[in-house]
Each structure stands twice: as C-alpha cells, then as structure tokens.
Amino acid sequence: MNQFGSKKEFLQFAIYIARAAGKKTLDHFKKGVQVDRKDDDSPVTVADREAEAWMRERITEKYPDHGIIGEEYGTVGEQKSVQWILDPIDGTQSYIHGVPLYTTLIGITIDGEPEIGVIYAPATDELCDAAVGLGTRFNGHYCKVGNTRSFRESTLLSTDITTIYEEGLDQPFNEILKRCRLHRTWGDAYGHMMVAIGRADIMFDPLLNIWDAAPLLPILREAGGVFLDLAGHARIDSGHGFSTNELLAGEILSILESFPKKTS
Ligand code: IPD
Ligand code: CA
Ligand code: CA
C-alpha cells in the first residue's frame, strides 16, 4: 500500500474509534459521575478511563506494531514508526460540568510527523478529521479556516484565563484581547476546531500536552490555517500553541515577541 493508502486506512479507523469511544462517554455525561483527582490534581472520571482503554484495545488488535501514547494509560511502543496519540476526553472540566463542548481526540504521527487528526464532540455529534495531503473535513464536508484579515474583526477563543496568568502570558494575551472584536471561552480542542471550520479566528492555549496538540496541527494545516507554538514553530510537543489563519498569524507572533512570557 502506498503512503496515501495507509494514511486513508489509518484515518478511517481513527474516525471509527474516536466516534465509538466518544459515544461511550455519553453513558456518564450529566449523570453525576464521580470525579477523581490525578497526581497533578487534574480531574478524571471513569468515562475518561473507559474510553481510552477501549480505544487502546482496538488499536492493539488492529495494529499490534504501532505505538500508543494516551493521557490516562501512558505510552507503549515508543520506538514504533506509527504512534496513536489519544485524549479520551479533552475538556474534562466541561464534561464534569455538563457542558457539551468536550471532545475525544486522536492524533497520529508517522516517523515523528503529525499526519492525521480527529476531533469528535460526542454531545453535539460533530466530527472534524484531517490527514496531510487529504484535506480537513467537518461532518464529512471539506472545510477551511476563515478569511478574517483584521484583528478588529476577529473572534478570539481561550480555555482558561487562570492558566494564561500562571504561565506568565497575561501581557501578550491582553494585547491580543484588546485588538480583537470578541472574546469567548469556547475552549479546549473544540475552540481549535472552531478555527479550523471558520467559526472563530484565533484559539490561544498556554498549556498543552502532546495528546491535546497532536490532532490540531494536521487539522489546521489542511484547513488552510496554522497551528503554531508560541514561538511560531509548527510543533505538537512545545507545551503551548495557537490556531489561526495565515492572515492573522504574523500579528499574533509579533505581539508574542513584543511581550515575552514572564518567568517567576
Ligand atoms: C485540557 C485541555 C485544555 C488545556 C489544558 C488541558 P483535559 O485537557 O486540552 O485546552 O489548556 O492544559 O489539560 O485535561 O481537559 O483533557
Ligand atoms: Ca486534553
Ligand atoms: Ca483528557
């Protein structure tokens, strides 16, 4: 099979397991699920664990030679060429508060390159997928980022203002905020998806793990936009990032350069 053939096959399988695992999370959604705390004090529920465990089983059955990196159950096969990167519930805070903007995420890297991304929002039944060279689709239709070219017309999204302060990024963020038309906190991966489908213009995230970022890069790139870390590199392992279109990216980067991150 050529490179596009296997990419298509991986993408199809990723869509299938993201949708099925995502739907499983609905069994506990808005039902008062118990919230446990992880070592880093972040919340986790049985729904996160069940969804990731189910995806891992399916991937291992179908592709025993691939590696898996998951938020809840760690890494296996880190030397393998194909890596499945899983976040069973992105937006756990939304999930436990009964807000329908949480998603199930799958990113796939091939030889270290982020090639495939899937974002599935179970509660709204919206699915965004991409593979490098094959375009980005939203609910099965090809989609593009918006063409807003002026900050004055732009909609900015973020997840959590506290984290922006804690990460010493309040100055650049406030500057971006001042220049934008509208700011909303429809955040987490759902916010990045909104940029990819042209419903918002900028999604700013000061704190990302690899499982948060892995699907975003191919999805934004194939939608004609960018997913960059705060230094302007197209990477998924920097620990932060933003999504936008090509027209606004330069101004965001120049603000980030003018107001460097504070270090405590
Ligand atoms: C969170 C989201 C959020 C990011 C946080 C993550 P979770 O993931 O991805 O956008 O800013 O750092 O922890 O815990 O809801 O899967
Ligand atoms: Ca996440
Ligand atoms: Ca998660």
Side-chain angles (χ1 to χ4, degrees):
M1 200 182 291
N2 67 23
Q3 203 213 357
F4 281 114
S6 32
K7 253 202 268 190
K8 273 189 189 159
E9 185 196 297
F10 299 162
L11 176 63
Q12 278 318 111
F13 192 66
I15 291 170
Y16 156 62
I17 61 170
R19 202 189 285 281
K23 282 190 195 295
K24 284 180 188 299
T25 67
L26 292 171
D27 295 346
H28 305 280
F29 185 50
K30 297 200 267 193
K31 306 232 168 87
V33 68
Q34 183 184 316
V35 179
D36 300 325
R37 294 275 156 193
K38 294 196 261 190
D39 292 346
D40 65 357
D41 205 38
S42 64
V44 63
T45 72
V46 64
D48 299 71
R49 295 194 181 106
E50 279 178 6
E52 183 172 323
W54 187 85
M55 289 193 284
R56 295 178 85 103
E57 280 168 25
R58 298 292 82 71
I59 295 163
T60 309
E61 274 165 14
K62 188 158 172 81
Y63 299 115
D65 284 342
H66 293 184
I68 304 177
I69 301 169
E71 177 171 9
E72 310 305 340
Y73 292 107
T75 300
V76 291
E78 62 189 326
Q79 307 305 334
K80 307 289 188 182
S81 143
V82 182
Q83 294 288 331
W84 292 70
I85 307 178
L86 312 176
D87 187 347
I89 295 183
D90 180 72
T92 297
Q93 292 290 8
S94 289
Y95 183 77
I96 64 187
H97 288 84
V99 175
L101 304 185
Y102 74 91
T103 55
T104 298
L105 305 181
I106 299 180
I108 300 178
T109 60
I110 303 175
D111 298 329
E113 292 300 316
E115 294 280 358
I116 290 170
V118 178
I119 300 174
Y120 178 58
T124 60
D125 197 25
E126 293 169 302
L127 189 139
C128 190
D129 70 87
V132 171
L134 298 175
T136 298
R137 297 178 296 187
F138 178 64
N139 289 343
H141 301 285
Y142 287 101
C143 63
K144 287 273 167 220
V145 292
N147 55 11
T148 305
R149 56 177 61 245
S150 132
F151 257 63
R152 269 177 296 127
E153 298 302 320
S154 67
T155 297
L156 165 69
L157 305 178
S158 62
T159 304
D160 182 350
I161 300 296
T162 317
T163 327
I164 290 171
Y165 276 77
E166 283 170 0
E167 291 300 304
L169 289 160
D170 44 306
Q171 284 187 336
F173 184 76
N174 285 336
E175 186 59 30
I176 296 170
L177 191 58
K178 236 170 38 191
R179 298 188 196 186
C180 288
R181 182 179 60 90
L182 177 73
H183 171 232
R184 284 293 181 269
T185 48
W186 304 313
D188 301 309
Y190 195 89
H192 293 277
M193 181 172 81
M194 285 189 64
V195 175
I197 64 182
R199 289 185 186 166
D201 304 300
I202 305 162
M203 167 69 201
F204 185 89
D205 205 322
L207 204 56
L208 291 169
N209 286 296
I210 197 161
W211 46 79
D212 303 313
L216 306 178
L217 198 154
I219 284 176
L220 267 298
R221 182 177 279 172
E222 289 296 307
V226 292
F227 172 77
L228 299 172
D229 70 14
L230 300 185
H233 305 120
R235 298 189 64 96
I236 59 171
D237 57 355
S238 303
H240 39 68
F242 66 94
S243 296
T244 191
N245 66 26
E246 298 264 13
L247 305 165
L248 297 171
E251 191 167 342
I252 297 169
L253 287 171
S254 82
I255 293 171
L256 285 160
E257 216 177 304
S258 308
F259 298 91
K261 178 181 165 105
K262 284 186 234 159
T263 43
S264 50

